[in-house]
């Protein structure tokens, strides 16, 4: 029996592009039920950086997160009491960080829910003392407004920290957050990259009013972004 290939051809859609222009928004999100928010309230001297999340066959959503700080015992105690997560598990231990896996509770709110619906793309997520800081790229102001409305309808607080327009001349450095740029600027001006160093990470942290773990994490991410932009 022969099969007519034409009868089984799938209609193909034309490639769409949102690569030109757009807006990069640095936002601070907060809600009592945002995943791991109760832990962040209890332990302010750690920095959390989600790696990825996935939903497995049982329906559970698992989040893998890297934690920077010096108070891991306090963090783990807070994690065990956090109602937004279940089954906290330490996966890896390094000199400057630890990696954990948690399962999201049914009522927990995802960190960037609604982003894809608004045609947005996640560039970076990191914790802050006032909630979660996210950097998102949207193809237009209307898309950003749609995302803001999505959050507002669900009582998620959205504070705009920085907005900038993405144009055809972007070379990848635009992926740096405002705080990363500030840190690199101060570190460079004060001689952090000199030999010998003109300023330590502790002194940078005091100068910027943040924790040493935040300085370490921002430096690592910022240098990684610059390498991606210039060496790729």
């Amino acid at each position: 029996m022969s099969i007519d290939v034409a009868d089984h051809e799938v209609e193909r859609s034309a490639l769409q592009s949102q690569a030109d222009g757009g807006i990069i928004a640095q936002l601070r999100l907060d809600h009592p039920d945002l995943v791991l928010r109760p832990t962040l309230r209890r332990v302010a001297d750690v920095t959390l950086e989600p790696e990825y999340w996935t939903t497995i066959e049982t329906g559970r959503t698992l989040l893998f997160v890297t934690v920077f700080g010096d108070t891991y015992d306090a963090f783990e105690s807070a994690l065990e009491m956090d109602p937004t997560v279940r089954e906290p598990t330490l996966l890896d231990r390094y000199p400057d960080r630890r990696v954990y896996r948690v399962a999201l509770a049914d009522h927990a709110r995802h960190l960037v829910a609604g982003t894809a619906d608004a045609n947005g793309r996640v560039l970076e997520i990191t914790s802050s003392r006032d909630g979660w800081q996210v950097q998102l790229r949207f193809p237009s102001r209307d898309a950003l407004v749609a995302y803001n409305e999505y959050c507002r309808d669900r009582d998620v607080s959205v504070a705009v920290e920085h907005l900038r327009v993405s144009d055809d001349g972007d070379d990848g450095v635009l992926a740096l957050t405002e705080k990363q740029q500030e840190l690199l600027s101060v570190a460079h001006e004060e001689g952090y990259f000199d030999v010998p160093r003109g300023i330590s990470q502790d002194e940078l942290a005091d100068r910027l009013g943040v924790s040493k773990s935040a300085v370490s994490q921002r430096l690592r991410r910022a240098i990684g972004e610059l390498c991606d932009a210039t060496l790729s």
Side-chain angles (χ1 to χ4, degrees):
M1 180 177 63
S2 63
I3 299 177
D4 189 349
V5 176
D7 292 338
H8 295 271
E9 286 186 352
V10 178
E11 183 178 352
R12 299 180 181 275
S13 58
L15 175 68
Q16 300 181 25
S17 174
Q18 298 177 349
D20 298 325
I23 295 175
I24 292 178
Q26 186 170 300
L27 311 173
R28 189 172 67 252
L29 307 180
D30 198 16
H31 187 280
D33 292 333
L34 274 179
V35 61
L36 294 174
R37 185 64 179 102
T39 294
L40 294 175
R41 290 184 186 277
R42 292 188 178 99
V43 188
D45 293 332
V46 296
T47 300
L48 277 60
E49 182 181 307
E51 292 186 354
Y52 70 96
W53 50 87
T54 183
T55 301
I56 59 179
E57 291 184 358
T58 60
R60 294 183 305 158
T61 298
L62 303 180
L63 171 67
F64 296 77
V65 60
T66 298
V67 180
F68 302 84
D70 301 318
T71 55
Y72 293 112
D73 289 342
F75 170 78
E76 291 175 2
S77 296
L79 191 61
E80 292 173 356
M81 296 185 294
D82 193 324
T84 67
V85 297
R86 300 171 180 169
E87 306 169 24
T89 304
L90 173 62
L91 298 181
D92 285 300
R93 185 186 291 111
Y94 302 94
D96 65 335
R97 66 193 187 280
R98 293 186 182 183
V99 181
Y100 298 83
R101 183 190 67 221
V102 296
L104 272 60
D106 293 338
H107 73 280
R109 299 182 182 235
H110 291 239
L111 298 178
V112 288
T115 304
D117 288 340
N119 291 319
R121 182 169 71 90
V122 178
L123 300 179
E124 182 183 58
I125 308 176
T126 187
S127 67
S128 72
R129 296 182 179 181
D130 301 320
W132 285 98
Q133 184 183 84
V134 299
Q135 189 180 78
L136 309 174
R137 183 188 184 280
F138 295 96
S140 65
R141 289 187 178 274
D142 289 342
L144 173 58
V145 170
Y147 176 76
N148 184 63
E149 292 177 349
Y150 175 94
C151 293
R152 183 184 60 191
D153 291 344
R154 290 156 180 80
D155 297 323
V156 175
S157 170
V158 179
V160 178
E161 294 189 337
H162 190 64
L163 290 177
R164 48 191 168 184
V165 176
S166 175
D167 57 38
D168 295 339
D170 291 344
D171 57 6
V173 177
L174 200 58
L176 291 180
T177 67
E178 183 179 16
K179 291 183 178 180
Q180 287 173 344
Q181 293 184 50
E182 178 188 20
L183 172 58
L184 284 181
S185 177
V186 173
H188 177 70
E189 291 173 358
E190 298 297 331
Y192 176 79
F193 300 106
D194 295 345
V195 180
R197 284 179 172 169
I199 191 172
S200 67
Q201 285 195 9
D202 287 338
E203 291 169 327
L204 279 173
D206 291 340
R207 173 79 177 271
L208 297 173
V210 299
S211 67
K212 180 182 176 181
S213 63
V215 167
S216 175
Q217 181 264 139
R218 286 178 196 168
L219 275 174
R220 184 177 61 85
R221 287 299 301 269
I223 293 172
E225 292 287 356
L226 289 176
C227 288
D228 286 342
T230 57
L231 301 179
S232 298

